[in-house]
Amino acid sequence: SSPASSGAPSSAAPDSVAPDRFGIGGDAPGLALPQLGGGRVDLAALRGHPVWVVFTATWCPSCLDDATVMTSFGARYQSTGLVVLAVDVREDEATVAAFAANAAAAYPIALDLDGSASRRWGVLALPTHFFVDASGVVRAGAPGTVGRDELARSLAKILPGVDVTP
């Protein structure tokens, strides 16, 4: 019998994951949270803008690497209307503020203090990336640190007509 039918874990490649694993093709779940530094982040208020949402945490080494890439892509494609949004999961504001300063994060950071937003979005590991188009539909998603080539492909799905380069 195959590993899948025997109950053993499958070693299937990430590309074989069901297309709806990240809610691709469906409306993005609600996301209204306090923002680092004050105010609130509300994904519904960003309708009309493509949004790259990354669930993250300060203890995650690859999340620091992602912060640099997020700032870089965000600056390059800001003129297209792209909004880069980090959602820090289950950490206090002072911890997140120190991380943001160290990473020179140039994007809003929402605080998912109780983890409810990450659960609603189906986040199983940090970081997890979601790419939401201007109409609020999830067009791509990926767990873990994502290479620049894959980021460019995912961003191209929410930036129609834009030549997105790694």
Side-chain angles (χ1 to χ4, degrees):
S1 88
S2 74
S5 64
S6 69
S10 169
S11 60
D15 291 335
S16 68
V17 172
D20 65 345
R21 175 168 178 203
F22 295 98
I24 295 170
D27 290 339
L31 187 64
L33 297 167
Q35 182 173 329
L36 180 66
R40 289 189 64 76
V41 170
D42 187 345
L43 188 61
L46 295 173
R47 188 68 56 102
H49 293 274
V51 183
W52 174 14
V53 180
V54 182
F55 285 83
T56 187
T58 65
W59 50 261
C60 160
S62 60
C63 295
L64 181 57
D65 296 336
D66 282 352
T68 304
V69 174
M70 291 165 62
T71 295
S72 170
F73 273 93
R76 278 197 285 152
Y77 297 102
Q78 182 177 12
S79 65
T80 68
L82 177 66
V83 175
V84 176
L85 172 62
V87 179
D88 185 89
V89 181
R90 293 181 171 266
E91 295 184 293
D92 66 81
E93 188 163 0
T95 301
V96 179
F99 175 87
N102 181 49
Y107 46 82
I109 301 174
L111 302 170
D112 184 13
L113 298 170
D114 64 2
S116 61
S118 63
R119 284 191 303 276
R120 191 168 44 257
W121 281 66
V123 172
L124 301 176
L126 300 175
T128 296
H129 304 258
F130 294 90
F131 300 87
V132 180
D133 71 14
S135 64
V137 175
V138 178
R139 295 296 175 192
T145 295
V146 180
R148 286 179 173 268
D149 288 343
E150 185 177 342
L151 285 175
R153 283 191 298 275
S154 296
L155 285 168
K157 292 178 181 180
I158 63 170
L159 298 172
V162 175
D163 182 24
V164 181
T165 59

